[in-house]
Amino acid sequence: MILNRPELQFYKAKIEEALDTYLPSSSCAPEIIHAAMRYSVCGGGKRIRGVLTLVACDVAGGRWEDALPAACAVEMIHAYSLIHDDLPCMDDDELRRGKPTNHRVFGEAIALLAGDALLTQGIVTMLDHIPVGLEQAYYQALRELVQASSTQGMIGGQVLDLAAEGKQLTLDALKLIYRWKTGALIRAALRMGGLIGRAEPQVLEALTRYGEALGLAFQITDDLLDLQADQEILGKTVGSDLKKQKATYPAVVGIDEAHRLATEEINRACAALAPLGESGKVLIALAEAVLHRDH
Ligand code: GRG
């Protein structure tokens, strides 16, 4: 289990409750788009990004409740990226979070719009729920989130990823794709929590370095799961990277070396937390669980 401590499970439950209140009801017109948004956000997903935001806020000395709108926003934007990633024009996947993908249920047009709507809903959720006195921190946090989702972040990474299909990449080129495609949002999740918790500069720096290494390790383990996981547990189709001739760590350096490099990044992530002392323990536990995850 990746959220391997009671406080991480507690944060996950709080995020799920809050997502339910921040998302428009599926009885609100136009019903179909709200149903499609809820279909992909609710009832599935590990909530790692949102949990990282709450832990980072706590570690920085803030109140986790103050970071809840930001934790939900990063989960909404993540869900948007998954819906779009699964579309026929992208990875054309049938299964996500153990269920048929959004476009399989709602059709391509609504799935595309549900993704778009989750991006804007994430932004509006943060703007509408700024805790009193945290206006400046929320402005900075929101900027982190949209920047990480941009062409110099998640979208840029996806563009490079598409261009790399069927090509032989160097490890450095692949690392840049992963830093943007997956790492940017994970890094932003941690920095948002740090900013909202009014972290001291050295704490924010530690959270940032941790996020960068964890983000890279997370995508390498995602590659390994695509090759080795049990589809039932993974909740998405296995072997799809091979089928699409995707550039992945195992494809470039082999399975054993990919595992070694993921371990190296996890060690780097944990070492970055040294300035946090005891309070970094929960993030260390989470990083170690990423290495052994089965979904
Ligand atoms: C088309 C405008 C437009 C944007 C699309 C699709 C996209 C931008 C970006 C894709 C980025 C992406 C899907 C990266 C993969 C990241 C990844 C490892 C996802 C799986 O994350 P988990 O395991 O999933 O945390 P759960 O389901 O647990 O939340």
Side-chain angles (χ1 to χ4, degrees), residues 264-280:
E264 201 173 276
E265 291 303 327
I266 292 299
N267 292 339
R268 206 189 304 276
C270 296
L273 297 175
L276 272 53
E278 272 296 296
S279 65

Side-chain angles (χ1 to χ4, degrees), residues 57-112:
C57 180
D58 182 48
V59 159
R63 288 163 19 101
W64 64 265
E65 297 93 320
D66 288 340
L68 205 45
C72 290
V74 72
E75 285 296 329
M76 288 181 206
I77 291 181
H78 167 58
Y80 128 70
S81 80
L82 299 180
I83 296 174
H84 282 192
D85 195 45
D86 291 336
L87 285 170
C89 62
M90 298 269 176
D91 279 358
D92 194 11
D93 271 319
E94 292 175 17
L95 200 62
R96 172 70 69 180
R97 293 179 167 172
K99 304 190 289 191
T101 44
N102 198 292
H103 64 272
R104 290 248 152 189
V105 177
F106 295 93
E108 264 184 77
I110 291 295
L112 184 74

Side-chain angles (χ1 to χ4, degrees), residues 90 150-169 172-182 245-248:
M90 298 269 176
S150 77
T151 53
Q152 302 293 296
M154 188 175 73
I155 291 181
Q158 181 75 355
V159 171
L160 296 177
D161 192 59
L162 288 172
E165 275 178 28
K167 299 219 174 82
Q168 200 62 35
L169 287 195
D172 277 348
L174 190 57
K175 206 184 269 186
L176 174 69
I177 296 179
Y178 284 14
R179 288 229 150 95
W180 279 7
K181 183 178 85 161
T182 308
Q245 293 188 289
K246 286 253 183 193
T248 63

Side-chain angles (χ1 to χ4, degrees), residues 149-218:
S149 311
S150 77
T151 53
Q152 302 293 296
M154 188 175 73
I155 291 181
Q158 181 75 355
V159 171
L160 296 177
D161 192 59
L162 288 172
E165 275 178 28
K167 299 219 174 82
Q168 200 62 35
L169 287 195
T170 63
L171 196 56
D172 277 348
L174 190 57
K175 206 184 269 186
L176 174 69
I177 296 179
Y178 284 14
R179 288 229 150 95
W180 279 7
K181 183 178 85 161
T182 308
L185 212 55
I186 290 179
R187 178 182 186 271
L190 283 144
R191 283 183 59 83
M192 285 204 297
L195 289 163
I196 294 165
R198 295 194 163 116
E200 294 294 333
Q202 69 155 5
V203 172
L204 190 59
E205 183 61 19
L207 292 170
T208 307
R209 297 284 90 82
Y210 169 84
E212 287 167 354
L214 184 75
L216 187 50
F218 195 82

